[in-house]
Amino acid sequence: DAGITQSPRHKVTETGTPVTLRCHQTENHRYMYWYRQDPGHGLRLIHYSYGVKDTDKGEVSDGYSVSRSKTEDFLLTLESATSSQTSVYFCAIEDTAGRGTEAFFGQGTRLTVV
Amino acid sequence: AQSVTQPDIHITVSEGASLELRCNYSYGATPYLFWYVQSPGQGLQLLLKYFSGDTLVQGIKGFEAEFKRSQSSFNLRKPSVHWSDAAEYFCAVGVRTGNQFYFGTGTSLTVIP
């Protein structure tokens, strides 16, 4: 299994508070991703990173920011959490095998904003 | 724009019966194609992938999928379903430019004895 650790695994927070989720990898992969999973929507890309300090927006990036100061860590921050950000968040890393790519996923973080 | 469609939100099959989960994609070039499985409370596990070459790909747990370019489809099949196959299944497209992945909305599989 790919070495991906998400923390925390569960969090309940209040509307308007900042929240940071952490994704840590031990695989030294270049690409890292943050997705959110909601019923009826599948997984939607929030932000991704293609290297240290190199990040870009996905399709649902509003209200989220990311940082990657080290290869192994990719942080997702909700600056001011809202109830619409209640979701399950997954981090993924990409294994570029040369002939193609595949993504490996963490176990997810269940975030509830009350 | 890239998109993935899984037309079946939920499927119920009897244990031992065959299974086919549908996936259609929209992408201007030849994509990378994937099927993932997610058990309750778990992350996504890769079942199989298609990059190029043989259009029939074999995966783990007895699953296979066939890439049909003319139909823009990548359907997942299994000849005999086991109760442990009950899970959520996601089809995904990998885009070569930008290394991004696009997921379908998932198909929930229930297996009845």
Side-chain angles (χ1 to χ4, degrees), chain A residues 19-88:
Chain A
V19 177
T20 295
L21 309 183
R22 180 181 183 236
C23 178
H24 178 78
Q25 63 150 327
T26 59
E27 307 296 322
N28 200 37
H29 289 327
R30 178 183 176 192
Y31 283 83
M32 298 184 74
Y33 307 83
W34 276 108
Y35 289 89
R36 60 177 290 173
Q37 183 179 27
D38 305 287
H41 292 277
L43 279 84
R44 293 180 290 175
L45 182 65
I46 305 171
H47 282 278
Y48 68 101
S49 169
Y50 47 96
V52 173
K53 296 189 184 297
D54 292 323
T55 64
D56 206 347
K57 297 178 179 180
E59 62 178 306
V60 290
S61 60
D62 287 348
Y64 301 94
S65 62
V66 290
S67 66
R68 191 167 178 201
S69 58
K70 298 184 291 185
T71 298
E72 58 266 35
D73 289 325
F74 191 33
L75 304 181
L76 176 70
T77 297
L78 291 66
E79 302 290 348
S80 178
T82 68
S83 59
S84 65
Q85 294 176 311
T86 293
S87 186
V88 181

Side-chain angles (χ1 to χ4, degrees), chain B residues 11 13 17-21 63 76-81 89 109:
Chain B
I11 285 182
V13 299
S18 63
L19 172 70
E20 182 170 26
L21 302 183
F63 285 92
L76 181 71
R77 300 192 295 250
K78 187 170 185 178
S80 178
V81 171
Y89 291 81
L109 175 66

Side-chain angles (χ1 to χ4, degrees), chain B residues 99-113:
Chain B
N99 287 75
Q100 295 192 36
F101 299 86
Y102 295 87
F103 287 81
T105 52
T107 298
S108 176
L109 175 66
T110 297
V111 181
I112 57 177

Side-chain angles (χ1 to χ4, degrees), chain B residues 28-101:
Chain B
T30 300
Y32 302 137
L33 295 163
F34 309 85
W35 275 99
Y36 286 87
V37 61
Q38 183 182 34
S39 298
Q42 301 298 310
L44 280 73
Q45 180 184 20
L46 182 69
L47 280 176
L48 48 78
K49 59 191 178 187
Y50 170 80
F51 291 159
S52 63
D54 192 348
T55 56
L56 183 64
V57 294
Q58 302 297 320
I60 63 171
K61 304 184 180 186
F63 285 92
E64 66 177 26
E66 185 172 13
F67 169 54
K68 293 185 177 180
R69 185 188 305 274
S70 62
Q71 299 177 18
S72 297
S73 69
F74 189 56
N75 294 349
L76 181 71
R77 300 192 295 250
K78 187 170 185 178
S80 178
V81 171
H82 188 263
W83 64 266
S84 61
D85 293 325
E88 187 94 16
Y89 291 81
F90 292 93
C91 180
V93 166
V95 175
R96 297 167 190 256
T97 302
N99 287 75
Q100 295 192 36
F101 299 86

